[in-house]
Amino acid sequence: TASTASTGSTRTVEAAAPISLDGRSPWTEAIVLRFGRPSLLVREDTFEVPLSDTWRERLYPSKQLLDTAIRSVGRVEVAGFGGEYVGTAWVVAPGVAVTNRHVALLFARGTGTNVTMRTDPAGRPYTPWVDFAEEFGQGRSREVRVASVLYIADDDDLSPDVAFLRLDAPAEYVPPPIPLATTGPSAGQVVTTIGYPAQDSRNDAADQARIFEGIFDVKRLAPGEVVAVEATSFTHDCTTLAGS
């Protein structure tokens, strides 16, 4: 998920090599810039103080906005699935979360609204949920069961990699939706990603060790800039890995 922060510029930094991901565009789930793009741990629904004066100055004027968005981002987990953690989701409408199509297809099958749950080796339907906590060093969890998969986009180059999940919980237990943007971004605008980056063999191991300090699978906020704007999409250089 991306949340607008502020505008400005930072010093140029060293770019990493492009990564090809199974036919998807390079730079998806990748360390785009090797230096200057931190991935900040989240604790108690807020991000840690950046070491960089530049990022403190750029993020803190929007801290309230970012903290609100942080609470509405969760980790998608599936009982009976290896490791349980499969991706990131965020609340997009009351009681509805959006995740990636390739995440939903791990525990569901179908396209459009014709979707059914997959079953585990014992023949039982998978039971996914979204945990809106899973922060580093925090023992708490805020799990909300996924009642159904409402929609999975077609698996083709023309469709967005999205799926929608119906959450099974009273409204007061589900964080509020993150408001959708009403206008497109501009090149150089500051954005952040919020998610759960996992250790990823497609990215340089030394860069991952330096940026993430061996801490993966927990909630993080990663700032960066919009690089280019297309007709229906934009690219950014925030640091992400698989799952985020």
Side-chain angles (χ1 to χ4, degrees), residues 160-220:
D161 183 12
V162 298
F164 295 96
L165 313 175
R166 171 70 68 186
L167 302 178
D168 182 19
E172 60 268 25
Y173 291 105
V174 179
I178 297 176
L180 297 177
T182 56
T183 59
S186 57
Q189 186 173 5
V190 174
V191 293
T192 72
T193 63
I194 304 168
Y196 297 82
Q199 194 164 18
D200 190 341
S201 61
R202 299 169 298 187
N203 289 264
D204 182 81
D207 287 336
Q208 291 185 76
R210 174 174 47 80
I211 295 171
F212 294 91
E213 299 182 316
I215 302 170
F216 300 97
D217 303 345
V218 294
K219 189 180 286 191
R220 288 177 176 268

Side-chain angles (χ1 to χ4, degrees), residues 66-244:
L66 294 172
D67 287 349
T68 299
I70 282 171
R71 289 190 287 273
S72 298
V73 178
R75 203 173 82 167
V76 183
E77 304 171 354
V78 185
F81 206 88
E84 292 191 345
Y85 164 44
V86 296
T88 295
W90 52 279
V91 182
V92 69
V96 177
V98 61
T99 189
N100 291 113
R101 169 184 55 223
H102 68 267
V103 170
L105 287 176
L106 294 172
F107 52 83
R109 58 166 58 89
T111 57
T113 57
N114 185 22
V115 178
T116 58
M117 299 301 293
R118 296 182 185 272
T119 56
D120 64 18
R124 297 167 298 201
Y126 282 120
T127 56
W129 64 86
V130 179
D131 190 336
F132 291 98
E134 293 294 351
E135 301 170 353
F136 178 66
Q138 308 295 317
R140 64 189 179 128
S141 63
R142 292 202 298 267
E143 297 176 354
V144 177
R145 192 177 73 87
V146 173
S148 62
V149 179
L150 297 174
Y151 174 85
I152 300 178
D154 290 334
D155 191 3
D156 57 49
D157 293 337
L158 299 178
S159 301
D161 183 12
V162 298
F164 295 96
L165 313 175
R166 171 70 68 186
L167 302 178
D168 182 19
E172 60 268 25
Y173 291 105
V174 179
I178 297 176
L180 297 177
T182 56
T183 59
S186 57
Q189 186 173 5
V190 174
V191 293
T192 72
T193 63
I194 304 168
Y196 297 82
Q199 194 164 18
D200 190 341
S201 61
R202 299 169 298 187
N203 289 264
D204 182 81
D207 287 336
Q208 291 185 76
R210 174 174 47 80
I211 295 171
F212 294 91
E213 299 182 316
I215 302 170
F216 300 97
D217 303 345
V218 294
K219 189 180 286 191
R220 288 177 176 268
L221 179 144
E225 294 181 358
V226 174
V227 175
V229 179
E230 307 295 339
T232 59
S233 65
F234 69 92
T235 56
H236 63 77
D237 59 15
C238 304
T239 292
T240 60
L241 295 175
S244 178

